Amino acid sequence: MATAASAAPAARAVPAAPGRSRAGGHLLRLPFYLLSLTMVVPFYWLLITVFKPPAELARTPPSFVPQSPTFANFHDVEWSAERVNPGHLQGIFQRFQVDFGFWRFLFNSLFITSVITVGALLICSLAAYVIAKHDIKGRRVIFLLVVASMMVPWQTTLIPNYVIMRNLGWLDSYAGYIMPALAKAFVLFFLVQFLQSLPDELIHAARVDGAGEWRIWWRIVLPLLRPALAAMSIFIVLGEWNNFLWPLIIVQSDEMANLPVALARLNSYYAGPDHQGAIMAGGLIASVPTIVFFLMFQRYFVRGIALSGLKG
């Protein structure tokens, strides 16, 4: 009896077979594999379409690997406006009659996104420092109003912002792009939570040493906020780089369009399978900077989320 009783716990303690454990893990991850396919397959189709000539783009059924790879969808050296040739169409860098062509839209997106990201992070970090580390009257009310503004749909601000930009004379200008986008309520909320998790003794020690508030913010607060700023920069960059509705409203000339607006106009001007390659080439150029940016800052993104904890 004693031998049988002592054998029962030993039998329960036998670990599962390694093969069975790995198979169970793969089975549990199957939904994630299927979800990743819905993201990878469209990007793969974009990638192969970019390098297909017009004849291959019109082929039925379509091929899943380019048979005759070409860079003509970016720039076709054999295309001529005087001599129409169905086998040679304008590349993406030949289709816009503006200074510097498609490069102008790429510059607009890079410039606007960079200025908004840097400006929003600096302004929100300064406001978060005041709210989190200064005992001022009404700071809780101010913070609650900022948080409450996150519940208001941003589409409701389109008309007021447009009227303000028109009255200031900032329509079709970089200022009209940038100024309404500098106020980021979620970024401020995130940075306040991050700063509240940091000890106040660091700020007090700097004040005892005679440092002013601007110097404390620049030399102490900003370095401590680096993981959170890197995490927030990903959200700002992706949001502003892909921003379409506000630029569509504020832009009145082709020269001031950003990449999403330029690609939308390109898709409306040119229709049919022959033009898919150039449109896909523009989409590929627009997607590469965001992918590179995320790969560079993804470790800061994970670290910022882990360190902040979003606790009050």
Side-chain angles (χ1 to χ4, degrees):
M1 296 293 293
T3 303
S6 60
R12 288 195 298 268
V14 175
R20 184 182 303 176
S21 177
R22 285 194 296 268
H26 287 300
L27 185 61
L28 291 175
R29 289 192 292 268
L30 181 60
F32 297 100
Y33 296 149
L34 297 176
L35 182 62
S36 65
L37 287 177
T38 63
M39 303 176 187
V40 173
V41 170
F43 188 80
Y44 174 75
W45 188 258
L46 178 147
L47 190 62
I48 63 174
T49 304
V50 167
F51 299 103
K52 288 182 178 180
E56 193 171 343
L57 288 172
R59 183 180 302 171
T60 303
S63 60
F64 292 91
V65 177
Q67 303 299 320
S68 303
T70 178
F71 289 94
N73 290 317
F74 295 97
H75 187 278
D76 192 345
V77 295
E78 299 185 16
W79 174 83
S80 175
E82 292 77 15
R83 185 177 67 254
V84 179
N85 188 341
H88 297 281
L89 300 174
Q90 291 173 296
I92 186 64
F93 292 106
Q94 300 169 291
R95 297 210 170 203
F96 294 94
Q97 303 303 317
V98 298
D99 293 338
F100 305 105
F102 194 75
W103 292 107
R104 177 60 186 266
F105 310 129
L106 184 61
F107 168 79
N108 288 342
S109 288
L110 287 172
F111 177 74
I112 293 167
T113 302
S114 300
V115 173
I116 291 176
T117 301
V118 175
L121 291 178
L122 290 177
I123 293 173
C124 291
S125 64
L126 183 59
Y129 169 56
V130 174
I131 293 176
K133 298 300 181 182
H134 286 74
D135 189 12
I136 60 175
K137 293 183 179 180
R139 66 170 183 171
R140 184 172 181 84
V141 175
I142 296 174
F143 184 61
L144 290 177
L145 289 176
V146 172
V147 175
S149 68
M150 296 166 54
M151 305 178 187
V152 179
W154 66 270
Q155 291 86 351
T156 61
T157 64
L158 289 176
I159 295 178
N161 280 334
Y162 179 84
V163 173
I164 294 173
M165 296 301 106
R166 183 194 61 187
N167 294 338
L168 292 174
W170 288 352
L171 293 180
D172 202 33
S173 67
Y174 290 122
Y177 267 111
I178 295 169
M179 296 306 295
L182 293 178
K184 303 290 186 184
F186 177 73
V187 177
L188 176 60
F189 169 76
F190 187 92
L191 296 182
V192 168
Q193 305 308 308
F194 191 96
L195 280 176
Q196 286 179 346
S197 65
L198 300 177
D200 296 337
E201 287 75 11
L202 295 173
I203 309 298
H204 296 326
R207 290 171 181 163
V208 171
D209 290 339
E213 297 300 327
W214 288 99
R215 187 176 181 183
I216 294 174
W217 169 69
W218 182 258
R219 300 295 297 272
I220 297 177
V221 174
L222 282 182
L224 292 175
L225 281 175
R226 187 178 302 170
L229 293 176
M232 290 296 99
S233 67
I234 295 178
F235 292 104
I236 299 176
V237 167
L238 294 181
E240 298 302 330
W241 185 266
N242 298 321
N243 194 5
F244 172 75
L245 186 55
W246 176 246
L248 181 66
I249 295 174
I250 202 75
V251 166
Q252 298 176 343
S253 63
D254 289 338
E255 289 78 6
M256 291 302 300
N258 64 349
L259 281 176
V261 173
L263 292 177
R265 291 177 178 177
L266 178 66
N267 195 27
S268 62
Y269 295 159
Y270 302 94
D274 293 341
H275 302 279
Q276 288 182 5
I279 296 174
M280 292 295 188
L284 179 63
I285 295 172
S287 63
V288 168
T290 58
I291 295 174
V292 173
F293 183 84
F294 178 78
L295 293 177
M296 291 172 57
F297 287 90
Q298 62 175 337
R299 64 188 184 94
Y300 292 104
F301 171 76
V302 176
R303 184 183 177 193
I305 297 294
L307 290 180
S308 67
L310 292 179
K311 59 183 179 181

